[in-house]
Amino acid sequence: MTLPDKLFIDGTWRKSATSRTTKLVNPATEEVFAEVEAADISDVNMAVESAHRAWEGGWRDMTPGKRTEILFNVARTLREHIDELGQLEMLQIGKPISDARDEAGLGARCFEYYAGAVTKFYGQTVPVSRGGFDFTLRQSMGVVAAIVPWNFPFPIAAWKVAPALAAGNCVVLKPASLSPLTALKLGELAHAAGLPSGVLQVLPGSGGAIGDALVTHPLVRKVSFTGSTEIGRRIMELASRDIKRVSLELGGKSPNIVFADADWERAAETSPMSVFANTGQDCCARSRVFVERSIFERFVEKFVSATKKLVVGDPAKTDTQLGPMVSASQRGSVEDFLADARKRGSKFICGGVRPHPKGYYLEPTVLLDVGKEDRCWKEEIFGPVVAITPFDDEAQMLREVNSSPYGLSGSIWTNNLSRAIRVSRAVQSGVLSVNCHSSLHVEAPFGGFKQSGLGRDLGMAAMEGYTEVKNVYVAE
Ligand code: NAP
């Protein structure tokens, strides 16, 4: 397999304007396995200008039928390369190969959905009080900058690029420094599938070095960002100068609420993967578990037993459920949280240690007695750590759930229908699941309340977010 190692601009591989490169380390072996050129500010300018030319030069005015056909071709080509995309994802971030392949399929599914959406996305006719004929158009914006993180690199890239293109925009995609390979492959495969040159550019490189130039470029009309709340805030500040459109998918500290009337045994058996999947590096991780007191001890026992059965190890093996963490520094940051928990007297029921001498592995960790003011309770850990706590009173529990500045996801387990509806209404999160741990459907809006974000990815909501509404009034 040849690994992409350059920038993808205007339908071709280009060297960076500087000689800077980023070395990629396989998190399972700690060995450098690739080196990719890093974009510079002049590359940003070239990519944005080329995307703008492609937008003006045809993509925005292409018939919906033709755009649909091209996006379906992209989806088909991605499906033909699922194994390769899965391998690249596994190498660059240590994701277990079965998950990596599934996520490549999810990316292809995004292109299928939005290929179909092109011809089902309409304006309105409006019966205005003066009579005449009033209608709205949904128009593309121009160049969209899509900035994505390393934890789900391929699907998140796809769920930004596909709706933005479907709505008639051109995209400059900036992957995380740790995970440029699948984004670059997306650029190459989409072009091979018929996407015209310049419609999708891929710029690997450091966010610190090129982020400001990309976000503030006058031809960039929208910034679609997924990543940390800290960088999201900076992007919003920069974008505010030109009133650029932004959508932000940020951090989370999601609750998993288990009532005694639920099938709590199933909840306990399935909940470990709701926080430990992707080795906990998941914005939707259910990292705070609230369990009704009457079942608390039995729940914890089952949860811990299910946790101990999780297969942690080589991401290349198809039965591996948890691979290494993405980097030494990410693991170090999680270990700092654990040190704080130890200092504050939390109870470690299992995990918290490095199970292998090589690779950035960390065992899934279950904590009890975590104080409500402790870092592990309040902050996003972004690693395989969960805190479980009992509750007695629904209203008080909900106050604690909603005291978080985040509001991305969450699960509710109950067999009482009224309670399921009442609690779903009360939890301040953008995405909830009842009696399961699903967070995401390509067809449904995904995003957060409060400091978890702004705007929505996926579903038709994402298409709306990549267009401007124009109102036209025609006198009779
Ligand atoms: P991050 O550090 O914020 O980085 C995200 C992206 O922003 C990367 O491509 C990064 O590039 C880039 N970036 C860094 N500095 C920038 C700047 N000044 N201007 C523009 N772009 C800049 O986040 P991360 O560590 O990759 O990802 C983890 C975070 O993402 C967690 O907080 C997680 O909750 C959140 N997340 C949220 C969702 C969601 O849908 N809500 C999904 C996944 C992850 P470099 O890699 O080159 O620094």
Side-chain angles (χ1 to χ4, degrees), residues 152-307:
F152 295 95
F154 186 70
I156 294 180
W159 80 48
K160 292 190 182 304
V161 171
L165 297 185
N169 305 282
C170 292
V171 177
V172 177
L173 170 64
K174 197 214 90 60
S177 292
L178 293 171
S179 56
L181 298 181
T182 41
L184 288 165
K185 203 75 201 165
L186 172 62
E188 181 191 22
L189 293 174
H191 187 252
L195 197 70
S197 298
V199 172
L200 172 60
Q201 329 270 20
V202 188
L203 282 188
S206 147
I210 61 170
D212 285 9
L214 181 57
V215 170
T216 57
H217 195 293
L219 291 176
V220 168
R221 295 312 315 150
K222 164 150 186 171
V223 183
S224 178
F225 172 79
T226 296
S228 60
T229 299
E230 181 196 348
I231 303 292
R233 192 173 287 121
R234 175 171 178 75
I235 285 174
M236 201 167 166
E237 278 166 12
L238 289 176
S240 71
R241 294 181 193 167
D242 291 336
I243 320 291
K244 285 187 186 181
R245 280 46 176 160
V246 286
S247 62
L248 306 171
E249 299 292 347
L250 309 174
K253 190 74 189 172
S254 297
N256 180 9
I257 303 165
V258 186
F259 288 96
D261 66 27
D263 181 350
W264 61 265
E265 295 196 333
R266 193 159 67 85
E269 279 156 12
T270 57
S271 288
M273 278 304 269
S274 78
V275 56
F276 299 136
N278 213 35
T279 321
Q281 303 162 121
D282 181 346
C283 51
C284 293
R286 273 63 165 177
S287 52
R288 297 190 300 167
V289 187
F290 298 79
V291 184
E292 204 163 357
R293 193 176 298 276
S294 60
I295 54 164
F296 182 72
E297 278 170 23
R298 287 173 292 162
F299 178 93
V300 171
E301 196 181 314
K302 267 207 177 296
F303 185 106
V304 171
S305 141
T307 299

Side-chain angles (χ1 to χ4, degrees), residues 5 31 41 55 87 128 131 140-141 145 179 207 240 284 302 337 359 372 378 396 446:
D5 61 356
E31 279 157 16
I41 291 175
W55 178 66
Q87 286 286 334
V128 292
S140 60
M141 295 169 158
S179 56
S240 71
C284 293
K302 267 207 177 296
F337 275 98
K372 302 286 181 282
K378 294 176 83 158
Q396 203 180 344
F446 173 85

Side-chain angles (χ1 to χ4, degrees), residues 194 318 394 402:
T318 49
E394 181 182 305
N402 289 333

Side-chain angles (χ1 to χ4, degrees), residues 1 14 26 31 39 49 174 182 190 201 203 206-207 227 229 257 262 277 312 343 370 374 415-416 418 435 439 451 455:
M1 180 172 40
R14 279 181 197 274
N26 180 338
E31 279 157 16
E49 283 158 22
K174 197 214 90 60
T182 41
Q201 329 270 20
L203 282 188
S206 147
T229 299
I257 303 165
V312 182
K343 199 168 78 193
V370 178
D374 293 359
N415 278 334
N416 178 323
S418 332
N435 294 332
S439 291
Q451 291 184 32

